[in-house]
Amino acid sequence: LAALGAFVLIPWASETRRRAAEWKDDKTLFFAEPGDPQGPRVAYNRASAMLKEGRPLLAEAHLREAVRVHPGFAEAWMKLGTLYDALGSPDRARQAFAAGAAAPCPSPLPLFAFARFLERRGEAEAAAALLSAALAKDPGFTPAAEALKGLKR
């Protein structure tokens, strides 16, 4: 029985040590499994839940934690910008959208989100530049093409 227990526990302990050694940088934390309290994806998901419950200030705290741990988390920056815009904080929204647009992301969505924010603020030329950048990143991104055509300059 002891031999069977050792047969099970030794690989488990080895795997635990390996994972602990890997979790020393933000990339491995970013891809942490659900239930790992340090992961920015977990903080992002908590923020989403807080928004659904109508608790924007707690959502802000979780989104801030997500981008603190992983500053290149474009999706979290976009959600933070949207939250600040909804709360009537355009300067903070602009900073969050700009950080999301600057994050290394293969998707044109952060650029598109920032452009739409600027368009709502009456900054058509800046919005057009961002929409063009989104289309340069993905020429088949229809929402950016349509928004650029309908932009009033």
Side-chain angles (χ1 to χ4, degrees):
L1 189 60
L4 181 59
F7 182 72
V8 171
L9 288 178
I10 289 173
W12 176 76
S14 176
E15 177 65 14
T16 300
R17 271 193 224 108
R18 185 191 63 76
R19 287 183 72 177
E22 284 180 2
W23 289 356
K24 292 186 178 178
D25 64 20
D26 65 340
K27 286 188 184 197
T28 54
L29 284 175
F30 180 72
F31 295 106
E33 296 291 326
D36 296 330
Q38 307 91 339
R41 178 59 68 181
V42 173
Y44 178 85
N45 290 341
R46 286 182 183 145
S48 295
M50 293 298 106
L51 286 172
K52 286 179 184 173
E53 292 177 9
R55 301 166 75 184
L57 297 179
L58 283 174
E60 177 195 10
H62 287 297
L63 289 169
R64 280 267 167 227
E65 177 62 13
V67 297
R68 182 192 68 76
V69 173
H70 186 68
F73 194 174
E75 193 175 352
W77 282 116
M78 286 189 307
K79 189 165 275 206
L80 194 57
T82 302
L83 175 64
Y84 286 144
D85 193 24
L87 293 175
S89 295
D91 292 338
R92 293 175 87 184
R94 178 185 303 273
Q95 290 172 349
F97 280 123
C105 178
S107 169
L109 278 174
L111 296 166
F112 179 73
F114 191 19
R116 297 308 294 223
F117 168 78
L118 292 174
E119 181 184 3
R120 288 190 302 275
R121 312 259 343 132
E123 299 178 43
E125 290 303 316
L130 286 168
L131 291 169
S132 295
L135 286 170
K137 194 173 262 199
D138 180 359
F141 188 57
T142 309
E146 290 174 2
L148 194 55
K149 284 179 191 172
L151 195 61
K152 294 181 177 134
R153 298 183 214 189

